[in-house]
Amino acid sequence: FAAMFALLHFAIGIDMLEAAVAATIGIATAPAVVLLVTNELKAEGPVTRRMLWHVALNNVIAAVGVTLLLPFIEARASGVSWNPVARAMWLIAGSFLLGFIAFQLMTLLARWLGKSAAPQFILSVGTVIATVGAAQQWRLSVLLSLLVLGVCARNLDRQHRLIDVEFGRAAQIFFVVLFVLTGATLHPDQLGAVAWIGLAFVIARSLGKAAALYALAWPAHISASQAGTLSLALTPIAGLTIGMTQPIYDIAPEFGARLAAIVISGVAILQLLGPIATRYALIRAGEGEPGARD
């Protein structure tokens, strides 16, 4: 965050709030890309495990950060009289509460349905859809509510009423759709004027990750080589960043357009380079199965 914010605000002269939002969004790492490459290589090891932990933390931080900043954008755009700090606290608390309530309802229904795979698959999909609808209805954060639902389902289900749902090969369709939709939002003719900012944004993001990981390698008990491969593995930026900009478009179209120009130019670069970097990093770390690497 510090590296991207310093570049955008102090070096390029972008407004402080816009720079803060863009830098917060830039923290997110693409879970779909990382998971696909990991599964493709059948990777397992210290770098792979830490990479997955970082992806989860990065996206939680980005989702919480954007949720906190959203009321300040809305207050600036509409000139409302309410306190943006109070609104931000309500967004966080309400989204956490919604995710927790959805988890409680999900476990109650799972107790009634039993541990059959098909009913629990329908229950999982239905809970996600209902949570999205409720978050939109009450103007809460969809991303944060779903993140809380997932965290609760993994850590608070002490009676083990929920089972691991296997989406199977059909899940690959959703990954394909994600990449196609991300590509469809990229308009090269709109990126020309800010392409250099997007490139600088990508470089600052990569340097910030590398500097932090190298600085904390010793207390984290990893070697400098592992820190380097880990920073390279975390290169992909989330296509979800485009989804993070959508609520901003809804409340402040001009702000959202300027923000999207910066973020999407970075996405355009890293959607191409990110998967290659992650694959190379895991192979360099020696954590993919030999047959899968070929």
Side-chain angles (χ1 to χ4, degrees), residues 2-273:
M4 291 180 284
F5 179 80
L7 168 78
L8 295 174
H9 181 60
F10 295 109
I12 299 177
I14 292 174
D15 174 77
M16 181 178 290
L17 183 57
E18 292 184 24
V21 176
T24 303
I25 291 175
I27 293 172
T29 305
V33 172
V34 169
L35 289 172
L36 280 173
V37 174
T38 301
N39 292 336
E40 182 183 78
L41 294 175
K42 299 180 175 63
E44 174 59 37
V47 172
T48 300
R49 288 193 297 272
R50 291 174 185 273
M51 174 187 69
L52 295 175
W53 295 340
H54 275 280
V55 169
L57 287 172
N58 287 348
N59 286 287
V60 169
I61 292 169
V64 172
V66 171
T67 302
L68 286 172
L69 291 170
L70 196 60
F72 293 90
I73 301 169
E74 187 175 5
R76 174 187 289 187
S78 59
V80 293
S81 57
W82 44 256
N83 188 339
V85 175
R87 169 67 176 158
M89 292 301 101
W90 158 243
L91 276 175
I92 295 294
S95 300
F96 269 70
L97 182 61
L98 175 60
F100 180 73
I101 291 173
F103 159 72
Q104 293 289 354
L105 293 174
M106 188 177 180
T107 52
L108 285 174
L109 290 171
R111 180 182 181 182
W112 175 62
L113 290 172
K115 293 188 176 182
S116 300
Q120 289 235 2
F121 174 86
I122 297 171
L123 174 63
S124 299
V125 174
T127 303
V128 168
I129 293 172
T131 304
V132 170
Q136 291 177 335
Q137 179 68 30
W138 296 330
R139 298 183 62 200
L140 299 173
S141 170
V142 172
L143 297 179
L144 197 53
S145 300
L146 292 176
L147 280 170
V148 172
L149 171 61
V151 170
C152 291
R154 175 57 64 184
N155 296 281
L156 299 183
D157 180 26
R158 294 186 174 88
Q159 284 76 36
H160 304 289
R161 293 172 180 167
L162 303 174
I163 63 174
D164 289 334
V165 176
E166 295 292 338
F167 288 88
R169 293 188 177 275
Q172 301 297 323
I173 297 174
F174 295 102
F175 286 118
V176 172
V177 170
L178 172 64
F179 286 108
V180 171
L181 289 177
T182 302
T185 62
L186 304 176
H187 302 286
D189 57 315
Q190 298 176 1
L191 302 178
V194 294
W196 68 274
I197 299 179
L199 179 60
F201 180 76
V202 166
I203 293 172
R205 178 178 181 271
S206 299
L207 291 176
K209 284 182 181 291
L213 288 166
Y214 273 113
L216 297 172
W218 180 76
H221 304 291
I222 61 173
S223 66
S225 175
Q226 287 176 321
T229 52
L230 181 56
S231 65
L232 191 62
L234 293 171
T235 298
I237 195 169
L240 196 60
T241 55
I242 297 173
M244 290 181 182
T245 63
Q246 189 56 50
I248 300 173
Y249 263 120
D250 296 338
I251 62 174
E254 293 184 4
F255 187 109
R258 292 193 300 270
L259 177 67
I262 298 170
V263 173
I264 291 178
S265 59
V267 171
I269 296 169
L270 291 183
Q271 282 291 92
L272 297 175
L273 299 180

